[in-house]
């Protein structure tokens, strides 16, 4: 899967002028591709936690792939393989926060964040090196942000800052 060089990396919640420099995925196309695939693989992991992937979640997964600059969306099976082979190492220091925000957005796409999705999300945050307490605070901040905005990235990022 190749990143589209014409795709400008979105700001993912950063709205002030000059915020492009702070974009979580402001990296080379190769890095964007690897980080994007890893983000998508983790999204699938969280989506599958409730035992099903519905049409809204799949549409949001395709939307995330497009926003991350991927020319095509891998299949769920391919993403599961990618997730198992890549580990959880992002080239961008903000990659884990972006991944957590996107996972939360997709988990809420069906109108409800299931307990199993919450557990999977927390386990993912802990696998990125965040403490259980920090993961819980970020989850709470992200859910509260989703009540008023479609993108919880800033709330998650702020709650995970040291």
């Amino acid at each position: 899967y190749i990143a589209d060089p014409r795709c400008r990396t979105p700001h993912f919640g950063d709205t002030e002028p000059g915020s492009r420099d702070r974009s979580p995925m402001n990296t080379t196309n190769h890095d964007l591709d690897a980080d994007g695939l890893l983000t998508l693989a983790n999204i699938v992991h969280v989506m599958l936690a409730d035992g099903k992937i519905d049409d809204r979640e799949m549409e949001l997964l395709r939307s995330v792939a497009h926003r991350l600059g991927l020319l095509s969306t891998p299949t769920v099976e391919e993403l599961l393989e990618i997730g198992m082979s890549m580990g959880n190492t992002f080239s961008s220091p903000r990659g884990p926060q972006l991944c957590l925000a996107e996972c939360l957005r997709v988990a809420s796409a069906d109108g409800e964040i299931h307990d199993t999705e919450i557990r999977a999300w927390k386990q993912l945050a802990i696998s990125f090196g965040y403490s259980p307490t920090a993961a819980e605070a970020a989850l709470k901040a992200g859910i509260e942000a989703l009540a008023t905005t479609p993108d919880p990235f800033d709330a998650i990022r702020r709650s995970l800052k040291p």
Side-chain angles (χ1 to χ4, degrees):
Y1 297 89
I2 300 169
D4 184 346
R6 296 168 295 164
C7 181
R8 303 294 287 180
T9 302
H11 298 223
F12 295 107
D14 291 340
T15 55
E16 62 256 6
S19 63
R20 174 151 166 58
D21 296 340
R22 299 180 332 167
S23 177
M25 295 299 206
N26 192 6
T27 60
T28 66
N29 284 337
H30 173 74
D31 290 340
L32 174 64
D33 194 34
D35 283 358
L37 287 172
L38 184 54
T39 295
L40 293 175
N42 282 308
I43 288 170
V44 167
H45 173 74
V46 172
M47 282 185 347
L48 284 173
D50 67 356
K52 63 182 174 28
I53 297 177
D54 69 21
D55 291 340
R56 289 174 290 193
E57 289 172 325
M58 278 307 296
E59 183 56 37
L60 195 47
L61 183 68
R62 285 188 287 277
S63 172
V64 170
H66 177 71
R67 286 191 309 138
L68 291 175
L70 299 175
L71 294 175
S72 63
T73 305
T75 66
V76 169
E77 293 80 14
E78 290 170 326
L79 287 169
L80 289 172
E81 276 186 41
I82 289 166
M84 290 175 59
S85 67
M86 288 182 75
N88 267 339
T89 304
F90 287 88
S91 62
S92 166
R94 293 174 72 187
Q97 296 167 355
L98 171 66
C99 180
L100 291 169
E102 294 295 353
C103 286
L104 193 58
R105 285 184 61 228
V106 174
S108 69
D110 61 3
E112 179 181 358
I113 303 173
H114 300 272
D115 289 343
T116 54
E117 291 171 322
I118 289 172
R119 280 193 299 277
W121 192 95
K122 287 180 187 177
Q123 288 172 342
L124 182 62
I126 291 167
S127 79
F128 291 149
Y130 298 113
S131 71
T133 303
E136 183 69 37
L139 177 65
K140 182 179 181 207
I143 290 172
E144 288 173 1
L146 283 172
T148 59
T149 181
D151 188 351
F153 174 72
D154 276 343
I156 290 171
R157 178 180 53 83
R158 280 191 299 271
S159 72
L160 291 173
K161 267 192 167 175

